Amino acid sequence: MWRTHNCGELRLEKVGEQVKLSGWVQRIRDKGSLLWIDLRDRYGTTQLFIEGTSASAELLEIVRSLGREYVIQVSGQVIERISKNPKMATGDIEIKAEEIKILNTSKVPPFTIEDDTDGGEELRMKYRYIDLRRNPVKNSIILRHQMMQYTREYLAGHDFLEIETPVLIKSTPEGARDFVVPSRMNPGEFYALPQSPQTFKQLLMVSGFDKYFQLVKCFRDEDLRADRQPEFTQIDCEMSFVTRDEILAAFEGLTKHVFRKARGVELEDFPLMAYDEAMRRYGSDKPDTRFGMEFIELNELAQGKGFNVFDQSELVAGICAPGCADYTRKQIDGLTEWVKRPQIGAKGLVYVKCNEDGTFKSSVDKFYTQEDLKNWADKAAARPGDLLLVLSGTIAETRKALNELRLYMGNELGLRSNDVFKPLWIVDFPLLEWDEETSRYHAMHHPFTSPREEDMHLLSTDPGKVKANAYDLVINGVEIGGGSIRIFDRQIQQSMFDALGFTKEEAEKQFGFLLNAFEYGAPPHGGIAFGFDRLCSMIGGTESIRDFIAFPKNNSGRDMMIDTPSQISTEQLEELSIFVKKPTE
Ligand code: ASP
């Protein structure tokens, strides 16, 4: 037997018992006549105690040869500690070691296995198997496991069937590039890895499995950002004979269940907000509603007073930063520089200080009277001591920049706590978005999303106006998931492909299988997918999704540990009928 107990479970009531533990050497303290070892495994840490005067020479020799991360087995008696450690679950006891066996040695690890390690990100990625021994990372992986179980528990409990869909498929358009896999048996032909199981889950509805889910790997070849991975996991679902509101209720239920079980948080009911309203009030389709500072549109009050910049703008809008009227010149210059950065893109920043004495001081005093500024302040419901920050430009630019500024000020003022959760559903997205570059419409969600019933007639006449029966779940400004009611009629699907500029042949070639399926009794259906890694990081309370993935990739899509992507041999390439031009001298 390797062990009778694990390193996290022994308590006072076991005092006197003979036990055997196995684990990793976390730390050794050698005080000459007294030695202690912290022995660690997945479950915790237990202190081993060796008394120099009574221990055998053999035992002492072994103990003195140990190094960090050696794997050892210890036999001994559980004793009560004289100086207890209340911070440790096993802190009341220790093991008086009688025998220690070295099961394996270890090189000195490249970084310390502590909660706050000295290892840099890249180094830890390279030695991920060691990094996974550290408590914060280990606990994140355990949390992920638990969340998977809670998800399955809830969905299976609501009659959803977990059905796997293939990984070697044909491209599905979710708006990113596909990863492709060459087929040896079909020279010159390729599979694509799924960006999502979208078409398959719809086919499962045609088959009659009216509630499907899957915890599924999806692959998107996108430029990576800190919170993106080329392969990621979704909680993917689809339902038949279902209305939008039934889907929202089911997944609000799932979200509440997982938050309750995994984080001990009771979420309030999720409000609904239309996309247009979200854009107007927050300039974003994923508003962070943990704090107010909503947009105030000032066109009516600010235009026609001789200030050219505002007069020429499509939108003049501001936010009211509470209690910031005492910002110094330097602070305001700092904010101005910040909004003018290319990533934010504002041309300048107008401020209005609402002084405690009821007067106003602004950067545009030349153009506006005290009364004008008071009108702005009233519209913003600003109080003495507040600061209005105003941007202008096209509607799109102004909203984008003001959204960034609002989030920035939210951080500055400490209004974005990780312990507060504000979920909401964003609904009624536009169906299509115009792409200047290619001069055609793209599906905002994907081409299988149904237009709203009442907008159906606009599809051929004014497609840009059509709203989709689509929804996103947003929590704290993060898009956790999204989905839609689907088209289930061949003709409508066809007109959608038309609106997207597909020729009949292209549509047939790429999606013929789905169009055909729609001719064999496709039920009305809809669904949703949640980004599971992101949900984990939100519940886990950290920004990075990498911590919640056992073996993540870095920002350039590399696995630093196995060192891939990597080259393959000429033989392999030839077998796959891939001919790579050799670089010429
Ligand atoms: N397939 C969609 C996605 O991955 C989700 C859905 O429409 O169900 O975003």
Side-chain angles (χ1 to χ4, degrees), residues 504-525:
K504 282 231 158 24
E505 293 69 40
E506 279 169 343
E508 187 59 44
K509 192 159 169 244
Q510 234 188 317
F511 301 113
F513 62 97
L514 189 70
L515 292 168
N516 288 341
F518 283 176
E519 294 187 302
Y520 290 93
H525 61 283

mmCIF file of all heavy atoms in Angstrom, residues 504-525:
data_model
loop_
_atom_site.group_PDB
_atom_site.id
_atom_site.type_symbol
_atom_site.label_atom_id
_atom_site.label_comp_id
_atom_site.label_asym_id
_atom_site.label_seq_id
_atom_site.Cartn_x
_atom_site.Cartn_y
_atom_site.Cartn_z
ATOM 1 N N LYS A 504 -26.431 30.692 -55.096
ATOM 2 C CA LYS A 504 -27.165 29.445 -54.823
ATOM 3 C C LYS A 504 -26.190 28.274 -54.722
ATOM 4 O O LYS A 504 -26.309 27.418 -53.854
ATOM 5 C CB LYS A 504 -28.175 29.166 -55.950
ATOM 6 C CG LYS A 504 -29.430 29.985 -55.865
ATOM 7 C CD LYS A 504 -30.658 29.057 -55.960
ATOM 8 C CE LYS A 504 -31.914 29.654 -55.374
ATOM 9 N NZ LYS A 504 -32.002 31.127 -55.293
ATOM 10 N N GLU A 505 -25.208 28.278 -55.646
ATOM 11 C CA GLU A 505 -24.252 27.158 -55.693
ATOM 12 C C GLU A 505 -23.399 27.121 -54.424
ATOM 13 O O GLU A 505 -23.180 26.063 -53.850
ATOM 14 C CB GLU A 505 -23.321 27.274 -56.921
ATOM 15 C CG GLU A 505 -23.987 27.106 -58.280
ATOM 16 C CD GLU A 505 -24.923 28.266 -58.634
ATOM 17 O OE1 GLU A 505 -24.551 29.437 -58.335
ATOM 18 O OE2 GLU A 505 -26.020 28.007 -59.165
ATOM 19 N N GLU A 506 -22.919 28.296 -54.016
ATOM 20 C CA GLU A 506 -22.083 28.343 -52.801
ATOM 21 C C GLU A 506 -22.863 27.833 -51.599
ATOM 22 O O GLU A 506 -22.367 27.028 -50.810
ATOM 23 C CB GLU A 506 -21.645 29.791 -52.513
ATOM 24 C CG GLU A 506 -20.451 30.253 -53.326
ATOM 25 C CD GLU A 506 -20.230 31.768 -53.204
ATOM 26 O OE1 GLU A 506 -21.156 32.500 -52.776
ATOM 27 O OE2 GLU A 506 -19.134 32.212 -53.550
ATOM 28 N N ALA A 507 -24.102 28.330 -51.471
ATOM 29 C CA ALA A 507 -24.931 27.931 -50.336
ATOM 30 C C ALA A 507 -25.156 26.423 -50.366
ATOM 31 O O ALA A 507 -25.034 25.737 -49.352
ATOM 32 C CB ALA A 507 -26.265 28.666 -50.369
ATOM 33 N N GLU A 508 -25.430 25.919 -51.541
ATOM 34 C CA GLU A 508 -25.696 24.492 -51.716
ATOM 35 C C GLU A 508 -24.447 23.685 -51.357
ATOM 36 O O GLU A 508 -24.516 22.693 -50.634
ATOM 37 C CB GLU A 508 -26.121 24.255 -53.171
ATOM 38 C CG GLU A 508 -26.599 22.850 -53.486
ATOM 39 C CD GLU A 508 -27.804 22.436 -52.632
ATOM 40 O OE1 GLU A 508 -28.740 23.254 -52.461
ATOM 41 O OE2 GLU A 508 -27.778 21.289 -52.144
ATOM 42 N N LYS A 509 -23.303 24.153 -51.836
ATOM 43 C CA LYS A 509 -22.058 23.421 -51.631
ATOM 44 C C LYS A 509 -21.691 23.381 -50.142
ATOM 45 O O LYS A 509 -21.299 22.352 -49.601
ATOM 46 C CB LYS A 509 -20.948 24.106 -52.430
ATOM 47 C CG LYS A 509 -19.703 23.293 -52.533
ATOM 48 C CD LYS A 509 -18.850 23.742 -53.712
ATOM 49 C CE LYS A 509 -17.491 23.089 -53.620
ATOM 50 N NZ LYS A 509 -16.385 24.008 -53.422
ATOM 51 N N GLN A 510 -21.837 24.534 -49.486
ATOM 52 C CA GLN A 510 -21.398 24.597 -48.095
ATOM 53 C C GLN A 510 -22.435 24.057 -47.123
ATOM 54 O O GLN A 510 -22.087 23.415 -46.133
ATOM 55 C CB GLN A 510 -21.066 26.045 -47.744
ATOM 56 C CG GLN A 510 -19.661 26.178 -47.176
ATOM 57 C CD GLN A 510 -19.418 27.580 -46.644
ATOM 58 O OE1 GLN A 510 -19.795 28.564 -47.287
ATOM 59 N NE2 GLN A 510 -18.804 27.662 -45.488
ATOM 60 N N PHE A 511 -23.688 24.324 -47.412
ATOM 61 C CA PHE A 511 -24.725 24.008 -46.418
ATOM 62 C C PHE A 511 -25.863 23.179 -46.973
ATOM 63 O O PHE A 511 -26.949 23.136 -46.383
ATOM 64 C CB PHE A 511 -25.299 25.298 -45.824
ATOM 65 C CG PHE A 511 -24.253 26.126 -45.176
ATOM 66 C CD1 PHE A 511 -23.899 27.358 -45.693
ATOM 67 C CD2 PHE A 511 -23.584 25.651 -44.057
ATOM 68 C CE1 PHE A 511 -22.911 28.117 -45.105
ATOM 69 C CE2 PHE A 511 -22.593 26.407 -43.459
ATOM 70 C CZ PHE A 511 -22.256 27.636 -43.991
ATOM 71 N N GLY A 512 -25.606 22.528 -48.126
ATOM 72 C CA GLY A 512 -26.654 21.711 -48.741
ATOM 73 C C GLY A 512 -27.248 20.724 -47.756
ATOM 74 O O GLY A 512 -28.468 20.529 -47.684
ATOM 75 N N PHE A 513 -26.383 20.131 -46.923
ATOM 76 C CA PHE A 513 -26.862 19.101 -45.975
ATOM 77 C C PHE A 513 -27.905 19.669 -45.020
ATOM 78 O O PHE A 513 -28.882 19.014 -44.679
ATOM 79 C CB PHE A 513 -25.693 18.479 -45.199
ATOM 80 C CG PHE A 513 -24.941 19.471 -44.337
ATOM 81 C CD1 PHE A 513 -25.219 19.596 -42.980
ATOM 82 C CD2 PHE A 513 -23.946 20.269 -44.880
ATOM 83 C CE1 PHE A 513 -24.537 20.509 -42.190
ATOM 84 C CE2 PHE A 513 -23.251 21.178 -44.093
ATOM 85 C CZ PHE A 513 -23.552 21.307 -42.753
ATOM 86 N N LEU A 514 -27.720 20.930 -44.625
ATOM 87 C CA LEU A 514 -28.665 21.524 -43.674
ATOM 88 C C LEU A 514 -29.957 21.923 -44.399
ATOM 89 O O LEU A 514 -31.065 21.663 -43.913
ATOM 90 C CB LEU A 514 -28.034 22.746 -43.014
ATOM 91 C CG LEU A 514 -28.818 23.329 -41.848
ATOM 92 C CD1 LEU A 514 -28.781 22.398 -40.646
ATOM 93 C CD2 LEU A 514 -28.266 24.692 -41.441
ATOM 94 N N LEU A 515 -29.785 22.506 -45.579
ATOM 95 C CA LEU A 515 -30.965 22.897 -46.365
ATOM 96 C C LEU A 515 -31.817 21.654 -46.668
ATOM 97 O O LEU A 515 -33.041 21.679 -46.565
ATOM 98 C CB LEU A 515 -30.537 23.589 -47.654
ATOM 99 C CG LEU A 515 -29.885 24.970 -47.454
ATOM 100 C CD1 LEU A 515 -29.230 25.467 -48.727
ATOM 101 C CD2 LEU A 515 -30.903 25.987 -46.937
ATOM 102 N N ASN A 516 -31.130 20.577 -47.021
ATOM 103 C CA ASN A 516 -31.869 19.328 -47.285
ATOM 104 C C ASN A 516 -32.608 18.855 -46.047
ATOM 105 O O ASN A 516 -33.775 18.472 -46.107
ATOM 106 C CB ASN A 516 -30.916 18.213 -47.730
ATOM 107 C CG ASN A 516 -30.411 18.464 -49.132
ATOM 108 O OD1 ASN A 516 -31.021 19.245 -49.879
ATOM 109 N ND2 ASN A 516 -29.303 17.837 -49.483
ATOM 110 N N ALA A 517 -31.893 18.901 -44.920
ATOM 111 C CA ALA A 517 -32.506 18.416 -43.675
ATOM 112 C C ALA A 517 -33.770 19.201 -43.358
ATOM 113 O O ALA A 517 -34.735 18.651 -42.813
ATOM 114 C CB ALA A 517 -31.511 18.520 -42.528
ATOM 115 N N PHE A 518 -33.758 20.484 -43.697
ATOM 116 C CA PHE A 518 -34.928 21.319 -43.428
ATOM 117 C C PHE A 518 -36.143 20.859 -44.231
ATOM 118 O O PHE A 518 -37.263 21.291 -43.962
ATOM 119 C CB PHE A 518 -34.623 22.793 -43.740
ATOM 120 C CG PHE A 518 -33.795 23.478 -42.686
ATOM 121 C CD1 PHE A 518 -33.373 24.788 -42.855
ATOM 122 C CD2 PHE A 518 -33.436 22.820 -41.508
ATOM 123 C CE1 PHE A 518 -32.612 25.430 -41.886
ATOM 124 C CE2 PHE A 518 -32.671 23.452 -40.533
ATOM 125 C CZ PHE A 518 -32.263 24.760 -40.726
ATOM 126 N N GLU A 519 -35.917 19.990 -45.218
ATOM 127 C CA GLU A 519 -37.059 19.501 -46.017
ATOM 128 C C GLU A 519 -37.644 18.213 -45.455
ATOM 129 O O GLU A 519 -38.546 17.621 -46.041
ATOM 130 C CB GLU A 519 -36.617 19.300 -47.457
ATOM 131 C CG GLU A 519 -36.261 20.637 -48.088
ATOM 132 C CD GLU A 519 -35.986 20.534 -49.562
ATOM 133 O OE1 GLU A 519 -35.079 19.758 -49.931
ATOM 134 O OE2 GLU A 519 -36.678 21.201 -50.324
ATOM 135 N N TYR A 520 -37.062 17.726 -44.355
ATOM 136 C CA TYR A 520 -37.564 16.479 -43.768
ATOM 137 C C TYR A 520 -38.110 16.707 -42.363
ATOM 138 O O TYR A 520 -37.709 16.050 -41.411
ATOM 139 C CB TYR A 520 -36.456 15.426 -43.742
ATOM 140 C CG TYR A 520 -36.101 14.939 -45.117
ATOM 141 C CD1 TYR A 520 -35.067 15.530 -45.831
ATOM 142 C CD2 TYR A 520 -36.814 13.893 -45.716
ATOM 143 C CE1 TYR A 520 -34.743 15.107 -47.095
ATOM 144 C CE2 TYR A 520 -36.493 13.461 -46.984
ATOM 145 C CZ TYR A 520 -35.457 14.066 -47.676
ATOM 146 O OH TYR A 520 -35.136 13.643 -48.942
ATOM 147 N N GLY A 521 -38.970 17.678 -42.236
ATOM 148 C CA GLY A 521 -39.630 17.865 -40.952
ATOM 149 C C GLY A 521 -38.730 18.453 -39.883
ATOM 150 O O GLY A 521 -38.536 17.836 -38.823
ATOM 151 N N ALA A 522 -38.170 19.620 -40.134
ATOM 152 C CA ALA A 522 -37.354 20.287 -39.107
ATOM 153 C C ALA A 522 -38.276 21.009 -38.131
ATOM 154 O O ALA A 522 -39.141 21.769 -38.551
ATOM 155 C CB ALA A 522 -36.406 21.287 -39.767
ATOM 156 N N PRO A 523 -38.122 20.765 -36.845
ATOM 157 C CA PRO A 523 -38.976 21.442 -35.872
ATOM 158 C C PRO A 523 -38.462 22.865 -35.615
ATOM 159 O O PRO A 523 -37.281 23.138 -35.844
ATOM 160 C CB PRO A 523 -38.792 20.590 -34.612
ATOM 161 C CG PRO A 523 -37.395 20.080 -34.722
ATOM 162 C CD PRO A 523 -37.124 19.895 -36.193
ATOM 163 N N PRO A 524 -39.315 23.751 -35.132
ATOM 164 C CA PRO A 524 -38.795 25.044 -34.690
ATOM 165 C C PRO A 524 -37.802 24.815 -33.554
ATOM 166 O O PRO A 524 -38.049 23.967 -32.687
ATOM 167 C CB PRO A 524 -40.035 25.783 -34.172
ATOM 168 C CG PRO A 524 -41.173 24.863 -34.269
ATOM 169 C CD PRO A 524 -40.759 23.596 -34.922
ATOM 170 N N HIS A 525 -36.692 25.523 -33.569
ATOM 171 C CA HIS A 525 -35.679 25.272 -32.537
ATOM 172 C C HIS A 525 -34.809 26.492 -32.308
ATOM 173 O O HIS A 525 -34.829 27.444 -33.093
ATOM 174 C CB HIS A 525 -34.842 24.042 -32.903
ATOM 175 C CG HIS A 525 -34.080 24.169 -34.205
ATOM 176 N ND1 HIS A 525 -34.675 24.035 -35.447
ATOM 177 C CD2 HIS A 525 -32.782 24.419 -34.452
ATOM 178 C CE1 HIS A 525 -33.764 24.188 -36.393
ATOM 179 N NE2 HIS A 525 -32.604 24.432 -35.820
#
